[in-house]
Amino acid sequence: MPTAYLSHPDCRRHDMGDGHPECPERLDAIEDWLIASGLGDMLERHEARPVDLADVERAHARAYVAQIGDLLQGCAASGKPRAIDPDTFANAHTWSAARHAAGAAVQATDLVLDGRADNAFCAVRPPGHHATRDQSMGFCFFNNVAIAARHALDVRGLERVAIVDFDVHHGNGTEDIIANDARVLMVSIFQHPLYPYCGGVPKGTNMVNVPVPAYTKGAEIREMIEAQWMPALERFRPQMIFVSAGFDAHRDDDLGQLALVEADYEWITLRIMDVARRHAEGRIVSCLEGGYNLDALGRSVEAHLRVLADL
Ligand SMILES: [Zn+2]
């Protein structure tokens, strides 16, 4: 069975302004690298559907969904951009992009659970892991991974799912949404202190947070993942694994000061695959989060996808 690759043209049309690191060209960089490497031909491509707002409301407060929906639809109608916070901006396409990014994650979940793909990667933006239950922040509007995880639990009837987050920034939004939801185990590693300046103390008993100082190298990060994530995942026996796949812990990425390279992303993906094969029938849905050095992003996504696709 192939690895599914989901995206949507509107994810590229969401634009937060000149010079913003979370830029449309990130998706081009991934696409270019998939074409150059030939890997793109090995994946089964799907155009994402927009998310059903009932799915969004499984992770976000109904009032927040209504409020951000009004604001973003206002931008779409007027064509005028709006600032959401000092780092986060909406343009006329943000509403559609956010709905298709979350929709991709839900659709990927269904593809994998229906046995139509072994696993899936969502090449989407805006990213999601900073979006809390009732707030957009840090380039994020809807928490794509949390929405998909709740869909797997509430709609598809799974009992235990894991969320793995290796973005350089702490996934505070995902933590906010799933803290103390005993059906979810979240394991993460992130630079600390760094935006959003929390995560040092986990918010729930179902979180394994591994904060690491700036300039930590790949070998040390692998040791910490092996010692802290793996026993927790093994005990939890997730029936499906969701990945917040941020590639901004790469040594060439200026938004963080960690020193991962492509081989580390390959290794992390192999470790996730190993747990998924033992407990989850191999079921993995991975969603793009950060990654701002365009070259490093393209190469790292290729390394991640090559392992997922078993190539
Ligand atoms: Zn990040």
Side-chain angles (χ1 to χ4, degrees):
M1 209 78 78
T3 289
Y5 183 88
L6 294 90
S7 193
H8 189 276
D10 284 351
C11 291
R12 206 201 164 288
R13 295 187 182 112
H14 161 61
D15 191 336
M16 297 199 283
D18 287 350
H20 198 293
E22 206 290 277
C23 60
E25 290 77 12
R26 298 176 64 229
L27 296 181
D28 301 340
I30 294 171
E31 189 62 44
D32 288 352
W33 207 266
L34 292 185
I35 291 168
S37 67
L39 184 57
D41 297 334
M42 320 281 195
L43 308 170
E44 189 168 289
R45 288 171 184 267
H46 297 263
E47 185 165 293
R49 292 192 297 261
V51 74
D52 185 339
L53 292 184
D55 270 324
V56 178
E57 288 172 0
R58 287 180 233 288
H60 293 284
R62 181 168 293 181
Y64 165 72
V65 177
Q67 172 237 322
I68 195 72
D70 282 352
L71 191 155
L72 296 181
Q73 288 174 82
C75 291
S78 69
K80 289 204 183 87
R82 286 273 300 267
I84 309 293
D85 76 12
D87 307 314
T88 311
F89 304 87
N91 75 352
H93 302 287
T94 303
W95 176 239
S96 180
R99 284 168 63 228
H100 284 95
V106 171
Q107 190 177 339
T109 303
D110 285 335
L111 285 170
V112 171
L113 282 171
D114 291 340
R116 287 185 285 150
D118 272 346
N119 51 41
F121 180 75
C122 301
V124 293
R125 45 187 298 281
H129 76 152
H130 295 306
T132 70
R133 190 170 152 69
D134 56 12
Q135 196 184 346
S136 327
M137 61 182 280
F139 318 162
C140 302
F141 298 85
F142 288 154
N143 196 310
N144 307 319
V145 160
I147 290 167
R150 284 275 168 79
H151 176 81
L153 294 163
D154 295 346
V155 179
R156 302 301 306 259
L158 295 191
E159 292 168 351
R160 294 180 309 282
V161 304
I163 296 176
V164 174
D165 187 331
F166 55 75
D167 191 278
V168 80
H169 304 98
H170 172 51
N172 63 300
T174 315
E175 179 178 55
D176 178 65
I177 292 164
I178 62 99
N180 297 317
D181 180 342
R183 304 169 300 168
V184 188
L185 170 71
M186 180 176 181
V187 301
S188 65
I189 191 154
F190 50 90
Q191 183 179 324
H192 186 72
L194 183 69
Y195 183 89
Y197 304 102
C198 59
V201 180
K203 280 180 83 170
T205 52
N206 59 330
M207 328 285 312
V208 177
N209 293 9
V210 184
V212 299
Y215 309 109
T216 306
K217 294 207 167 52
E220 297 161 77
I221 286 175
R222 291 189 196 196
E223 274 178 31
M224 288 185 265
I225 285 175
E226 201 61 57
Q228 299 186 53
W229 286 9
M230 287 305 146
L233 287 166
E234 211 51 54
R235 274 195 304 275
F236 188 71
R237 296 180 296 115
Q239 296 166 304
M240 186 158 186
I241 301 180
F242 294 87
V243 183
S244 267
F247 298 92
D248 40 10
H250 195 283
R251 100 181 141 194
D252 295 340
D253 199 296
D254 290 337
L255 266 71
Q257 288 79 40
L258 295 186
L260 296 189
V261 295
E262 292 88 305
D264 296 309
Y265 290 117
E266 185 183 321
W267 181 87
I268 293 170
T269 311
L270 277 166
R271 297 306 284 128
I272 297 168
M273 290 275 281
D274 192 40
V275 177
R277 283 198 175 119
R278 261 201 310 286
H279 300 294
E281 300 172 39
R283 297 187 287 224
I284 297 171
V285 168
S286 176
C287 295
L288 181 66
E289 299 282 1
Y292 304 101
N293 178 300
L294 297 183
D295 254 4
L297 174 64
R299 295 195 309 266
S300 301
V301 170
E302 187 207 338
H304 180 58
L305 273 168
R306 216 170 258 294
V307 176
L308 286 178
D310 211 2
L311 294 168

